């Protein structure tokens, strides 16, 4: 069982890294890249447990460690 | 948005009291709209207006022959000769750091850096004073990790060394950690810039990062007590971008070389609002601003949001008319936005327009200078007498003094802070002469023979037990640390962290502590040249210990005559300057061993203090003193132990014989003030004794450097290595690293 977790900055939170990448894209000719926001993609291999349990656990992992919920949002899917 | 009806609830949600709102109505002669209310709310917040503290701040001595700029500007400036000024200031970022430790601490560093380079100075060193709850709690470990990483992240990226500071742990900070950041910068005294919007018709230029919805109501948040619901306030925390700040620094310093700039101010707390109002107020002018031209990070921002945003890395600059394009060009070169957003006017009004409409029209002076001032009720707490009562007879003297010493060395407040400062780049710019870990850091002033010593100090337990004495001791200890490094104490910046000023007991602490600071600053001739006040440091009604943190800078005319705290050579004579008194109230010993925070703090005799400091400084300047270390938390025994091992990779023991005329625990671990442990070589002993006697400083030879053990009378007998192990592992062990 695999959990795919996406962690992204909340809307409106400044993203210095994204800003730098956008700037670099622009400087190598991609004028159409207007804004870049960078997040994290995390894959977790889970023991085979019932899906509702897995969802509960992954949510906890996100809240406690994977996402900084002060400035980041997260979502996940369990496959 | 400007149509929102101003109800009682809206006013209250902006933190304005009924009386304050009444004053708004009087000033305007009408109801404010929401933008205007927002502006009043931030300008009259405790953070921007000092409305509860001003009556006491007036007592500080603020002048001396060497003070070029006292309080009231972005930062104070002192003169050190050869046309060079030293700009420094300390500021709190407590509440943001509690909510998001990394970004809170990082933007705290960013903010104080801007305060320094706005003055035209290049920042050369950072310090910070940090306070947390007990490291036994996971939340506190998380906060410490985040804060230290945030300071390191920002300071290191900027290429400015973090050279010193202090870290305390006490349960009173567990709901309100303190993050006080200090920056020191250098400036040519003929190139000092101020926050002045003068010259009618001059353009007002916005420079730096774009404005986002960061930290809206941050200034109001920083002035409101935390409740259970403060989790909700989270999204207002700003994110720092040190790389942009570095560009902003270099761009500003470049533009300062021209004659284009009339005035400049950092957009700190309350952003565009406070910078524009304060600059216009100082110059007695007005400003007309068009918000459509403000660079924005997000679409659809309202005038309310633009005026109140606390996005980082921004400055507001007033230029000479006709130089706009040249300024824009310089900032463009550094990849930064620079946009003319307004003009200086002569009618004393702030007129703010957007989409062709006037969204706010406010008189500058009454708003900026007319904030309500409170002489809040003051009352000595009822618990104070009980708190100060300590019957020594009930305190059992320990059986095993070795064990006590090891326990004290293992106390995180006393223990090595290496785990913390090793994360900071403390040597970048290659000017650091005395690195973190000694009494005060010393940096060289390149191009001269001079050096600067700097430190931050405050024992808040003393302030809790007796705020007046505690306030005096904070200054005295800072000066002592500067002296131990070879500097002459010059001036002070303070960061006054207290609880809710609406409580008379808290206001009493504030009054007493500031009186103590004033007294010590006057006597030691170290005026206060700037600082900051942070109130409402309370969680669920429980206040922190009063914490008036003192940042001090001292001058070494010849940086070669600096001094470090650790013992140097076998056979050197160990001397105690000062007197051991039977004082154990408020000591770390009483807290760690007897679990008590009680009694009167150690007494402070400023005449004795001055004598001790003068003799130590003269001994260092004459090249007689080889090491100097003051006695603070943990008393004489801890101080002597530290002298044995604080030099990295160089351990050396000592044999000490102390005259025993007081309780042994007080002798070893009491925290009597005005004491410095110095070493001199045998051949210099008589000459140094002469100096001490001239200064009227009590001087006692107490032992010799040598061997691999520290022994004190028949009370302490420990291998240096074992003591060092306890001291150096205390913090990493608790953090599990």
């Amino acid at each position: 069982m695999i959990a795919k977790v996406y962690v992204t900055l909340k809307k409106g939170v400044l993203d210095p890294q994204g800003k730098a990448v956008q700037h670099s894209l622009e400087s190598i000719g991609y004028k159409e890249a207007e804004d870049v926001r960078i997040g994290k993609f995390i894959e977790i291999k889970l023991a085979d447990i019932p899906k509702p349990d897995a969802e509960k656990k992954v949510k906890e992992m996100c809240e406690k460690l994977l996402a900084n919920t002060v400035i980041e949002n997260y979502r996940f899917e369990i496959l | 948005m400007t149509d929102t009806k101003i109800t009682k609830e809206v006013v209250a949600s902006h933190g304005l009291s009924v009386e304050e709102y009444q004053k708004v109505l009087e000033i305007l002669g009408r109801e404010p709209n929401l933008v205007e209310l927002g502006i009043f709310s931030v300008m009259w917040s405790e953070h921007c207006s000092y409305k509860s503290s001003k009556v006491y701040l007036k007592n500080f001595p603020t002048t001396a022959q060497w003070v070029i700029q006292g309080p009231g500007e972005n930062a104070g400036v002192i003169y050190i000769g050869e046309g060079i000024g030293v700009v420094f200031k300390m500021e709190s970022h407590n509440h943001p750091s509690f909510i998001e430790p990394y970004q809170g601490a990082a933007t705290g560093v960013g903010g104080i850096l801007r305060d320094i380079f706005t003055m035209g100075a290049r920042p050369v060193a950072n310090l910070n004073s940090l306070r947390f709850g007990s490291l036994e709690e996971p939340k506190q470990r998380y906060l410490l990790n985040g804060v230290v990483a945030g300071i390191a992240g920002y300071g290191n990226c900027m290429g400015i060394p973090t050279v010193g500071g202090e870290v305390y742990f006490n349960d009173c900070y567990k709901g309100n950690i303190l993050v006080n950041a200090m920056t020191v910068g250098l400036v040519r005294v003929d190139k000092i810039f101020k926050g002045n919007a003068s010259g009618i018709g001059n353009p007002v230029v916005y420079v730096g990062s774009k404005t986002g919805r960061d930290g809206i109501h941050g200034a109001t948040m920083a002035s409101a007590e935390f409740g259970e619901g403060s989790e909700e306030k989270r999204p207002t925390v700003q994110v720092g971008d040190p790389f942009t700040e570095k560009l902003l620094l270099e761009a500003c310093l470049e533009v300062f070389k021209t004659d284009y700039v009339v005035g400049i101010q950092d957009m700190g707390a309350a952003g565009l609002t406070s910078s524009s109002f304060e600059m216009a107020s100082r110059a007695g002018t007005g400003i007309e601003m068009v918000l459509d031209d403000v660079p924005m990070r997000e679409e659809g921002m309202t005038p309310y949001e633009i005026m109140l945003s606390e996005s980082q890395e921004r400055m507001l600059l007033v230029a000479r008319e006709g130089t706009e394009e040249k300024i824009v060009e310089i900032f463009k070169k550094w990849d930064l936005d620079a946009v003319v957003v307004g003009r200086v006017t002569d009618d004393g009004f702030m007129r703010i327009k957007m989409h062709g409409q006037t969204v706010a029209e406010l008189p500058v002076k009454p708003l900026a200078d007319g904030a309500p001032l409170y002489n809040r009720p003051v009352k000595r707490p009822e618990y104070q007498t009980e708190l100060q009562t300590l019957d020594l007879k009930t305190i059992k003297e320990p059986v095993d003094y070795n064990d006590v010493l090891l326990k004290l060395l293992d106390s995180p407040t006393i223990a090595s802070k290496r785990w913390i400062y090793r994360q900071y780049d403390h040597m970048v710019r290659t000017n650091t002469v005395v690195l973190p870990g000694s009494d005060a850091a010393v940096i060289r002033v390149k191009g001269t023979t001079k050096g600067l010593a700097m430190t931050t100090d405050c024992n808040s337990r003393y302030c809790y037990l007796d705020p007046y004495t505690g306030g005096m001791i904070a200054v005295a200890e800072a000066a002592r640390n500067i002296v131990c490094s070879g500097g002459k104490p010059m001036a002070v910046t303070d960061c006054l962290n207290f609880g809710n000023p609406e409580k008379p007991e808290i206001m009493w602490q504030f009054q007493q502590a500031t009186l103590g600071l004033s007294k010590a600053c006057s006597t030691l001739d170290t005026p206060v040249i700037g600082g900051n006040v942070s109130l409402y440091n309370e969680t669920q009604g429980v206040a922190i210990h009063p914490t008036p943190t003192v940042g001090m800078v001292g001058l070494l005319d010849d940086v070669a005559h600096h001094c470090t705290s650790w013992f140097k050579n076998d056979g050197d004579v160990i001397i105690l300057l000062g007197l051991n008194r039977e004082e154990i109230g408020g000591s770390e010993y009483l807290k760690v061993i007897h679990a008590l925070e009680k009694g009167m703090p150690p007494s402070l005799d400023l005449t004795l203090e001055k004598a001790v400091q003068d003799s130590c400084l003269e001994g260092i300047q004459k090249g007689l003193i080889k090491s100097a270390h003051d006695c603070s938390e943990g008393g004489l025994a801890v101080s002597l132990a530290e002298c044995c091992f604080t030099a990295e990779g160089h351990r050396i023991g000592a044999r000490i014989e102390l005259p025993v005329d007081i309780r042994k625990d007080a002798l070893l671990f009491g925290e009597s003030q005005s004491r410095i442990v110095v070493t001199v070589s045998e051949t210099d002993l008589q000459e140094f004794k002469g100096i001490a006697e001239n200064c009227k400083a009590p001087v006692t030879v107490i032992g010799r450097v040598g061997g691999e053990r520290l022994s004190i009378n028949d009370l302490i007998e420990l291998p240096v290595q074992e003591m060092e192990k306890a001291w150096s592992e205390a913090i990493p062990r608790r953090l599990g690293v």
Side-chain angles (χ1 to χ4, degrees):
Chain A
M1 191 185 262
I2 299 277
K4 295 185 168 183
V5 183
Y6 304 84
V7 180
T8 52
L9 280 175
K10 283 185 178 167
K11 193 169 171 283
V13 172
L14 176 69
D15 182 4
Q17 193 186 359
K19 216 169 76 180
V21 171
Q22 187 272 334
H23 191 255
S24 298
L25 285 172
E26 201 179 79
S27 66
I28 59 169
Y30 296 102
K31 306 281 180 223
E32 51 283 315
E34 286 180 353
D35 192 19
V36 175
R37 313 260 310 153
I38 294 178
K40 280 180 286 196
F41 169 64
I42 303 159
E43 224 174 58
I44 305 164
K45 189 167 178 296
L46 294 169
D48 274 327
I49 51 173
K51 203 171 172 184
D53 287 359
E55 283 185 346
K56 194 169 150 254
K57 293 277 183 193
V58 174
K59 187 167 190 300
E60 274 176 30
M61 293 179 204
C62 290
E63 294 279 343
K64 282 190 183 164
L65 182 70
L66 302 178
N68 176 357
T69 52
V70 179
I71 51 174
E72 291 171 332
N73 290 323
Y74 64 88
R75 65 190 167 81
F76 58 85
E77 51 202 61
I78 291 173
L79 305 170
Chain B
M1 185 120 194
T2 43
D3 298 332
T4 306
K5 197 163 160 38
I6 307 297
T7 60
K8 254 197 272 179
E9 290 72 31
V10 174
V11 172
S13 75
H14 281 77
L16 290 171
S17 69
V18 175
E19 296 77 36
E20 286 168 349
Y21 185 65
Q22 202 53 46
K23 198 162 174 194
V24 170
L25 295 179
E26 275 166 34
I27 287 174
L28 294 184
R30 63 176 166 83
E31 271 197 5
N33 63 36
L34 190 64
V35 179
E36 293 169 335
L37 183 69
I39 289 171
F40 269 103
S41 136
V42 292
M43 289 298 292
W44 286 7
S45 70
E46 198 64 61
H47 191 92
C48 292
S49 72
Y50 298 93
K51 60 188 170 191
S52 303
S53 55
K54 229 176 203 167
V55 289
Y56 298 109
L57 303 181
K58 279 192 295 212
N59 296 328
F60 286 147
T62 57
T63 53
Q65 194 203 330
W66 56 90
V67 173
I68 296 179
Q69 176 67 57
E73 273 292 333
N74 286 300
V77 189
I78 56 167
Y79 185 60
I80 59 164
E82 299 184 41
I84 301 168
V86 180
V87 184
F88 65 96
K89 187 181 179 184
M90 179 159 43
E91 209 165 62
S92 62
H93 228 214
N94 306 334
H95 300 253
S97 302
F98 183 76
I99 291 173
E100 192 349 78
Y102 184 100
Q103 296 298 344
T107 51
V109 174
I112 192 63
L113 281 167
R114 284 194 298 284
D115 275 338
I116 300 309
F117 70 78
T118 318
M119 300 293 292
R122 179 176 283 281
V124 292
N126 287 328
L127 299 95
N128 45 72
S129 167
L130 311 177
R131 284 150 213 271
F132 302 91
S134 162
L135 284 182
E136 311 303 327
E137 292 179 33
K139 167 100 187 191
Q140 301 301 315
R141 298 198 290 268
Y142 159 78
L143 290 169
L144 173 67
N145 268 303
V147 164
V148 170
I151 291 169
Y154 210 99
N156 296 1
C157 288
M158 285 291 290
I160 294 158
T162 302
V163 298
E166 55 175 349
V167 191
Y168 278 81
F169 301 92
N170 189 302
D171 275 338
C172 71
Y173 299 113
K174 78 176 182 187
N176 271 90
I177 60 170
L178 299 187
V179 174
N180 295 174
M182 171 169 163
T183 295
V184 180
L186 295 175
V187 66
R188 304 290 322 173
V189 287
D190 53 354
K191 277 288 182 188
I192 294 173
F193 285 83
K194 293 185 182 175
N196 236 313
S198 52
I200 312 306
N202 276 341
V204 177
V205 190
Y206 170 114
V207 301
S209 284
K210 292 181 174 27
T211 298
R213 291 189 172 98
D214 312 295
I216 290 173
H217 265 159
T220 327
M221 171 183 86
S223 309
E225 226 177 288
F226 279 135
E228 289 285 11
S230 63
E231 311 279 307
E232 301 298 308
K233 291 183 179 172
R234 282 184 155 187
T236 60
V237 168
Q238 319 92 307
V239 171
D241 179 357
F243 303 104
T244 299
E245 177 115 326
K246 174 68 176 165
L247 297 174
L248 186 61
L249 162 66
E250 299 302 336
C252 284
L253 292 183
E254 184 172 334
V255 86
F256 290 154
K257 285 186 193 151
T258 67
D259 59 353
Y260 308 156
V261 181
V262 175
I264 182 165
Q265 182 155 339
D266 154 43
M267 289 194 222
L272 194 50
T273 296
S274 64
S275 52
S276 57
F277 273 90
E278 286 172 14
M279 283 184 33
S281 166
R282 286 194 199 104
T285 56
I287 291 178
E288 185 170 308
M289 261 195 298
V290 182
L291 298 185
D292 304 76
D293 299 333
V294 169
M296 281 173 256
R297 207 165 74 221
E298 293 175 63
E299 279 167 29
M301 287 189 64
T302 64
Y304 180 88
E305 290 169 327
I306 297 167
M307 287 309 289
L308 268 50
S309 162
E310 293 192 351
S311 288
Q312 300 288 296
E313 292 93 24
R314 304 179 300 160
M315 295 272 196
L316 197 65
L317 177 158
V318 173
R320 266 198 309 120
E321 206 174 351
T323 62
E324 299 92 315
E325 279 177 27
K326 289 176 191 152
I327 288 179
V328 170
E329 210 170 290
I330 290 174
F331 280 89
K332 210 171 154 196
K333 186 183 114 186
W334 293 97
D335 247 329
L336 293 167
D337 284 312
V339 184
V340 176
V341 294
R343 297 272 160 191
V344 178
T345 60
D346 62 356
D347 64 355
F349 267 81
M350 184 70 59
R351 223 165 265 113
I352 298 160
K353 296 182 176 176
M354 197 169 178
H355 306 316
Q357 282 183 327
T358 300
V359 294
E361 186 169 13
L362 298 166
V364 172
K365 272 273 173 199
L367 213 155
D369 304 344
L373 281 190
Y374 294 118
N375 201 341
R376 294 194 187 273
V378 166
K379 182 169 168 274
R380 186 174 189 268
E382 281 173 16
Y383 57 76
Q384 203 72 28
T385 306
E386 154 62 19
L387 197 60
Q388 293 177 341
T389 313
L390 178 70
D391 182 1
L392 282 188
K393 282 185 227 110
T394 64
I395 309 294
K396 264 211 186 125
E397 289 206 59
V399 183
D400 183 349
Y401 287 91
N402 288 327
D403 182 55
V404 172
L405 178 55
L406 289 173
K407 281 203 176 108
L408 285 174
L409 292 170
D410 180 60
S411 158
T413 293
I414 289 176
S416 168
K417 308 300 183 297
R418 186 166 187 276
W419 178 86
I420 293 164
Y421 65 72
R422 68 182 285 277
Q423 300 185 49
Y424 306 147
D425 189 337
H426 44 263
M427 294 196 278
V428 63
R429 300 181 63 82
T430 66
N431 285 329
T432 320
V433 180
V434 176
L435 306 181
S438 197
D439 279 22
V442 177
I443 64 163
R444 79 178 61 82
V445 180
K446 264 193 192 139
T448 73
T449 58
K450 295 175 196 298
L452 295 174
M454 49 197 75
T455 183
T456 67
D457 286 288
C458 176
N459 182 320
S460 64
R461 190 181 298 139
Y462 299 166
C463 297
Y464 172 57
L465 298 174
D466 183 34
Y468 181 80
T469 309
M472 285 205 295
I473 289 177
V475 178
E477 191 188 346
R480 214 180 304 137
N481 282 328
I482 296 284
V483 162
C484 285
S485 290
K488 178 188 180 313
M490 297 290 278
V492 160
T493 175
D494 57 6
C495 205
L496 308 171
N497 311 274
F498 288 77
N500 180 350
E502 292 157 44
K503 297 182 184 165
E505 290 83 3
I506 300 287
M507 225 41 233
W508 177 81
Q509 293 178 334
F510 191 89
Q511 174 203 48
Q512 294 297 311
T514 49
L515 286 172
L517 286 179
S518 301
K519 172 75 182 155
C521 285
S522 309
T523 312
L524 300 176
D525 216 4
T526 51
V528 176
I529 62 162
N532 142 272
V533 178
S534 170
L535 300 174
Y536 296 97
N537 289 292
E538 296 200 8
T539 302
Q540 290 165 33
V542 182
I544 58 164
H545 288 174
T547 313
T549 313
V550 169
M552 193 181 280
V553 171
L555 177 65
L556 290 81
D557 276 321
D558 186 349
V559 75
H561 288 157
H562 64 268
C563 190
T564 49
S565 60
W566 44 86
F567 292 149
K568 300 294 183 304
N569 305 102
D570 263 356
D572 285 347
V573 182
I574 303 169
I575 295 168
L576 176 70
L577 293 171
L579 299 167
N580 303 317
R581 296 193 167 101
E582 196 166 87
E583 296 171 315
I584 59 175
S587 65
E588 190 71 8
Y589 160 74
L590 201 57
K591 166 81 173 144
V592 171
I593 306 298
H594 299 282
L596 287 174
E597 288 193 289
K598 265 175 86 62
M600 281 300 281
S603 57
L604 180 69
D605 171 353
L606 283 166
T607 315
L608 174 64
E609 180 72 46
K610 190 99 178 65
V612 166
Q613 290 188 18
D614 288 350
S615 60
C616 181
L617 187 57
E618 192 178 337
I620 293 172
Q621 285 171 341
K622 293 219 164 114
L624 305 173
I625 290 182
K626 294 167 102 173
S627 76
H629 187 27
D630 83 316
C631 294
S632 55
E633 290 81 14
L636 184 56
V638 163
S639 180
L640 287 165
E642 286 172 345
C643 291
C644 294
F645 54 68
T646 36
E648 268 181 54
H650 170 78
R651 285 186 214 112
I652 192 160
R655 276 209 78 78
I656 309 289
E657 272 305 323
L658 294 173
V660 185
D661 43 10
I662 54 175
R663 277 173 67 119
K664 289 174 196 141
D665 54 355
L667 179 66
L668 292 176
F669 311 117
E671 298 176 7
S672 290
Q673 295 298 300
S674 317
R675 292 184 299 170
I676 301 178
V677 172
V678 302
T679 54
V680 298
S681 65
E682 181 77 54
T683 47
D684 292 332
L685 180 59
Q686 284 318 315
E687 189 179 351
F688 179 67
K689 271 186 159 174
I691 291 173
E693 275 153 24
N694 260 344
C695 296
K696 298 194 168 61
V699 51
T700 320
V701 172
I702 57 169
R704 300 242 168 207
V705 176
E708 289 170 357
R709 306 167 77 81
L710 173 68
S711 72
I712 306 177
N713 297 8
D714 55 352
L715 303 168
I716 301 276
E717 178 74 42
L718 280 168
V720 174
Q721 199 171 357
E722 191 181 340
M723 296 190 297
E724 185 186 10
K725 191 170 148 60
W727 178 79
S728 58
E729 289 179 0
I731 289 179
R733 193 187 80 233
R734 287 176 173 83
L735 293 175
V737 293

